[in-house]
Amino acid sequence: MAKGLGKGLQAFFPDEKQNQIEQVALKQIRPNPYQPRKTFTEEAISELAHSIQTHGILQPITVRKSIKGYEIVVGERRFRAAQHAKLDSIPAIVKEYNEDEMMELALIENLQREDLNPIEEGTAYQKLMSHLDVTQEQLAKRLGKSRPHIANHIRLLQLPTVVQQFISDGKLSMGHGRALLGLSDKNKLSSLLEKVLHDKLSVRELELLVQQLNDRVSRETKRRKINLSPFLKERQDILRTTLGTSVAIKPGKKKGKIEIDYFSEDDLERILQILSVEEK
């Protein structure tokens, strides 16, 4: 999971006025419709509810006024725990935020708390790009993230739903997901996924297996790949990590080749952005 942002919430939404805390009835509050986090474990909510019953709510949630009451901007976990603790009201700071700010604040707060799994994080980035009409580069600068970090998370959304669910549940890592994206023959995905889970393959073992399945070349070519010099192998690994896709360096007597896999026009655009290739 990615580390918290280098920029705090105040850097994005500086507060011009003194925060005033109000007691808001729980029945008047609705969850944030832009909440990127979809999984709230019952055990964690119960633990927080017990703490609230003992010590109270130490940090107010943030809400905005809506037609039907209030919408949560930040603090849905505290709100759920307060419901679990059977409280009637919760301390809240009432703010005025527009739709863009609602979505961005929900993402930033969860990223800072490291609450999102890779799929939730990728989905949140994609929604922000669409809603705010920004590029990966612009979003990366706005959130204090690297462009490859955002691109690699968004790429996970190209995986089949079942694979995304395994990543969300923690049964597969983000690295496993990226390796599976490199599989050329998607008909082999189901059996490969079964093997990964059954044999508990590491990311590196899966990468090697995907490369073997993708190779449709002669034994001589395979032998040349195995004998790739340490220098070229290191550069090949760097390119794979940076571009988030399968990359093959093929040396030759007079000139070499670099083959980069992409899986859609959007994926190609993502790679071109990372390579800083601008459309003329």
Side-chain angles (χ1 to χ4, degrees), residues 220-243:
E220 180 180 347
T221 304
K222 286 184 178 181
R223 191 177 302 116
R224 187 166 71 239
K225 283 186 178 180
I226 293 174
N227 293 328
L228 206 63
S229 72
F231 174 81
L232 290 179
K233 186 178 183 305
E234 180 185 6
R235 267 55 191 174
Q236 180 176 266
D237 290 341
I238 290 174
L239 283 171
R240 286 177 175 173
T241 300
T242 301
L243 300 180

Short mmCIF file of all heavy atoms in Angstrom, two decimals, residues 220-243:
data_model
loop_
_atom_site.label_atom_id
_atom_site.label_comp_id
_atom_site.label_asym_id
_atom_site.label_seq_id
_atom_site.Cartn_x
_atom_site.Cartn_y
_atom_site.Cartn_z
N GLU A 220 16.83 -21.34 -29.68
CA GLU A 220 18.01 -20.46 -29.80
C GLU A 220 17.72 -19.09 -29.23
O GLU A 220 18.53 -18.51 -28.51
CB GLU A 220 18.42 -20.34 -31.26
CG GLU A 220 19.64 -19.44 -31.48
CD GLU A 220 20.01 -19.34 -32.94
OE1 GLU A 220 19.49 -20.14 -33.74
OE2 GLU A 220 20.83 -18.47 -33.27
N THR A 221 16.52 -18.57 -29.55
CA THR A 221 16.13 -17.26 -29.04
C THR A 221 15.96 -17.30 -27.53
O THR A 221 16.36 -16.39 -26.80
CB THR A 221 14.81 -16.80 -29.68
OG1 THR A 221 14.97 -16.80 -31.10
CG2 THR A 221 14.44 -15.40 -29.21
N LYS A 222 15.37 -18.40 -27.05
CA LYS A 222 15.20 -18.56 -25.60
C LYS A 222 16.55 -18.59 -24.90
O LYS A 222 16.73 -18.03 -23.84
CB LYS A 222 14.41 -19.83 -25.30
CG LYS A 222 12.93 -19.74 -25.62
CD LYS A 222 12.22 -21.00 -25.19
CE LYS A 222 10.71 -20.88 -25.47
NZ LYS A 222 9.99 -22.09 -25.04
N ARG A 223 17.51 -19.29 -25.54
CA ARG A 223 18.83 -19.39 -24.93
C ARG A 223 19.48 -18.02 -24.85
O ARG A 223 20.17 -17.69 -23.89
CB ARG A 223 19.70 -20.35 -25.76
CG ARG A 223 21.00 -20.74 -25.08
CD ARG A 223 21.80 -21.74 -25.90
NE ARG A 223 21.02 -22.94 -26.16
CZ ARG A 223 20.64 -23.33 -27.37
NH1 ARG A 223 20.97 -22.62 -28.43
NH2 ARG A 223 19.94 -24.43 -27.53
N ARG A 224 19.26 -17.20 -25.90
CA ARG A 224 19.83 -15.87 -25.89
C ARG A 224 19.21 -15.03 -24.78
O ARG A 224 19.88 -14.22 -24.14
CB ARG A 224 19.60 -15.20 -27.25
CG ARG A 224 20.33 -13.86 -27.36
CD ARG A 224 20.38 -13.35 -28.78
NE ARG A 224 19.09 -12.91 -29.25
CZ ARG A 224 18.46 -13.41 -30.29
NH1 ARG A 224 18.98 -14.41 -30.97
NH2 ARG A 224 17.27 -12.93 -30.65
N LYS A 225 17.90 -15.22 -24.52
CA LYS A 225 17.25 -14.48 -23.44
C LYS A 225 17.84 -14.86 -22.09
O LYS A 225 18.08 -14.03 -21.23
CB LYS A 225 15.75 -14.75 -23.46
CG LYS A 225 15.00 -14.01 -24.53
CD LYS A 225 13.50 -14.25 -24.36
CE LYS A 225 12.72 -13.47 -25.41
NZ LYS A 225 11.27 -13.67 -25.26
N ILE A 226 18.09 -16.15 -21.90
CA ILE A 226 18.64 -16.63 -20.64
C ILE A 226 20.04 -16.05 -20.43
O ILE A 226 20.44 -15.73 -19.32
CB ILE A 226 18.68 -18.17 -20.62
CG1 ILE A 226 17.26 -18.73 -20.62
CG2 ILE A 226 19.44 -18.68 -19.41
CD1 ILE A 226 17.18 -20.24 -20.76
N ASN A 227 20.78 -15.89 -21.54
CA ASN A 227 22.15 -15.39 -21.45
C ASN A 227 22.25 -13.87 -21.56
O ASN A 227 23.31 -13.34 -21.86
CB ASN A 227 23.01 -16.04 -22.56
CG ASN A 227 23.18 -17.53 -22.34
OD1 ASN A 227 23.22 -17.99 -21.20
ND2 ASN A 227 23.28 -18.29 -23.42
N LEU A 228 21.15 -13.19 -21.34
CA LEU A 228 21.17 -11.73 -21.35
C LEU A 228 22.18 -11.24 -20.31
O LEU A 228 22.22 -11.74 -19.19
CB LEU A 228 19.78 -11.21 -21.00
CG LEU A 228 19.38 -9.82 -21.51
CD1 LEU A 228 19.36 -9.79 -23.03
CD2 LEU A 228 18.00 -9.45 -20.97
N SER A 229 23.01 -10.28 -20.70
CA SER A 229 24.05 -9.80 -19.78
C SER A 229 23.42 -9.17 -18.55
O SER A 229 22.28 -8.67 -18.61
CB SER A 229 24.93 -8.77 -20.50
OG SER A 229 24.22 -7.56 -20.69
N PRO A 230 24.11 -9.17 -17.42
CA PRO A 230 23.58 -8.55 -16.19
C PRO A 230 23.18 -7.10 -16.41
O PRO A 230 22.18 -6.63 -15.86
CB PRO A 230 24.74 -8.67 -15.20
CG PRO A 230 25.50 -9.87 -15.68
CD PRO A 230 25.41 -9.83 -17.17
N PHE A 231 23.97 -6.37 -17.23
CA PHE A 231 23.66 -4.96 -17.50
C PHE A 231 22.32 -4.82 -18.20
O PHE A 231 21.46 -4.03 -17.80
CB PHE A 231 24.76 -4.35 -18.37
CG PHE A 231 24.46 -2.94 -18.83
CD1 PHE A 231 24.69 -1.86 -18.00
CD2 PHE A 231 23.93 -2.72 -20.11
CE1 PHE A 231 24.38 -0.56 -18.43
CE2 PHE A 231 23.63 -1.44 -20.53
CZ PHE A 231 23.86 -0.35 -19.70
N LEU A 232 22.12 -5.62 -19.29
CA LEU A 232 20.87 -5.52 -20.03
C LEU A 232 19.69 -6.04 -19.22
O LEU A 232 18.58 -5.51 -19.31
CB LEU A 232 20.99 -6.30 -21.35
CG LEU A 232 21.93 -5.70 -22.41
CD1 LEU A 232 21.97 -6.58 -23.64
CD2 LEU A 232 21.48 -4.29 -22.78
N LYS A 233 19.92 -7.08 -18.43
CA LYS A 233 18.85 -7.64 -17.61
C LYS A 233 18.36 -6.61 -16.59
O LYS A 233 17.17 -6.45 -16.34
CB LYS A 233 19.30 -8.90 -16.89
CG LYS A 233 18.18 -9.61 -16.13
CD LYS A 233 18.68 -10.87 -15.48
CE LYS A 233 17.51 -11.59 -14.80
NZ LYS A 233 16.79 -10.74 -13.84
N GLU A 234 19.32 -5.88 -16.00
CA GLU A 234 18.97 -4.85 -15.02
C GLU A 234 18.15 -3.75 -15.69
O GLU A 234 17.15 -3.29 -15.14
CB GLU A 234 20.24 -4.26 -14.40
CG GLU A 234 19.95 -3.18 -13.36
CD GLU A 234 21.22 -2.52 -12.85
OE1 GLU A 234 22.31 -2.82 -13.39
OE2 GLU A 234 21.12 -1.70 -11.93
N ARG A 235 18.58 -3.35 -16.91
CA ARG A 235 17.85 -2.30 -17.63
C ARG A 235 16.46 -2.78 -18.03
O ARG A 235 15.50 -2.02 -18.02
CB ARG A 235 18.63 -1.88 -18.89
CG ARG A 235 19.57 -0.70 -18.70
CD ARG A 235 20.52 -0.91 -17.59
NE ARG A 235 21.26 0.31 -17.22
CZ ARG A 235 22.07 0.38 -16.20
NH1 ARG A 235 22.24 -0.68 -15.41
NH2 ARG A 235 22.70 1.50 -15.90
N GLN A 236 16.35 -4.04 -18.39
CA GLN A 236 15.05 -4.61 -18.75
C GLN A 236 14.10 -4.58 -17.55
O GLN A 236 12.93 -4.22 -17.67
CB GLN A 236 15.24 -6.06 -19.24
CG GLN A 236 13.96 -6.74 -19.64
CD GLN A 236 14.21 -8.12 -20.22
OE1 GLN A 236 14.32 -8.28 -21.42
NE2 GLN A 236 14.33 -9.11 -19.35
N ASP A 237 14.63 -4.94 -16.37
CA ASP A 237 13.81 -4.92 -15.15
C ASP A 237 13.39 -3.50 -14.80
O ASP A 237 12.26 -3.27 -14.33
CB ASP A 237 14.58 -5.55 -13.98
CG ASP A 237 14.74 -7.06 -14.14
OD1 ASP A 237 13.99 -7.66 -14.92
OD2 ASP A 237 15.63 -7.62 -13.47
N ILE A 238 14.29 -2.54 -14.99
CA ILE A 238 13.97 -1.14 -14.71
C ILE A 238 12.84 -0.66 -15.61
O ILE A 238 11.90 0.00 -15.17
CB ILE A 238 15.21 -0.24 -14.89
CG1 ILE A 238 16.25 -0.52 -13.78
CG2 ILE A 238 14.83 1.24 -14.89
CD1 ILE A 238 17.56 0.21 -13.96
N LEU A 239 12.92 -1.01 -16.90
CA LEU A 239 11.88 -0.62 -17.84
C LEU A 239 10.53 -1.24 -17.49
O LEU A 239 9.49 -0.60 -17.56
CB LEU A 239 12.29 -1.02 -19.27
CG LEU A 239 13.32 -0.12 -19.95
CD1 LEU A 239 13.80 -0.75 -21.26
CD2 LEU A 239 12.75 1.27 -20.21
N ARG A 240 10.56 -2.52 -17.10
CA ARG A 240 9.31 -3.20 -16.72
C ARG A 240 8.65 -2.53 -15.53
O ARG A 240 7.44 -2.33 -15.48
CB ARG A 240 9.59 -4.67 -16.41
CG ARG A 240 9.87 -5.52 -17.63
CD ARG A 240 10.20 -6.95 -17.25
NE ARG A 240 10.37 -7.80 -18.43
CZ ARG A 240 10.79 -9.07 -18.38
NH1 ARG A 240 11.07 -9.62 -17.22
NH2 ARG A 240 10.89 -9.77 -19.49
N THR A 241 9.48 -2.19 -14.53
CA THR A 241 8.94 -1.55 -13.33
C THR A 241 8.41 -0.15 -13.63
O THR A 241 7.33 0.23 -13.17
CB THR A 241 10.03 -1.46 -12.25
OG1 THR A 241 10.48 -2.78 -11.92
CG2 THR A 241 9.50 -0.79 -10.99
N THR A 242 9.16 0.61 -14.42
CA THR A 242 8.78 1.98 -14.74
C THR A 242 7.52 2.04 -15.59
O THR A 242 6.61 2.84 -15.33
CB THR A 242 9.92 2.71 -15.46
OG1 THR A 242 11.09 2.70 -14.63
CG2 THR A 242 9.55 4.15 -15.78
N LEU A 243 7.45 1.17 -16.60
CA LEU A 243 6.33 1.21 -17.54
C LEU A 243 5.15 0.37 -17.09
O LEU A 243 4.05 0.50 -17.62
CB LEU A 243 6.80 0.73 -18.93
CG LEU A 243 7.93 1.55 -19.58
CD1 LEU A 243 8.29 0.98 -20.94
CD2 LEU A 243 7.53 3.01 -19.71
#
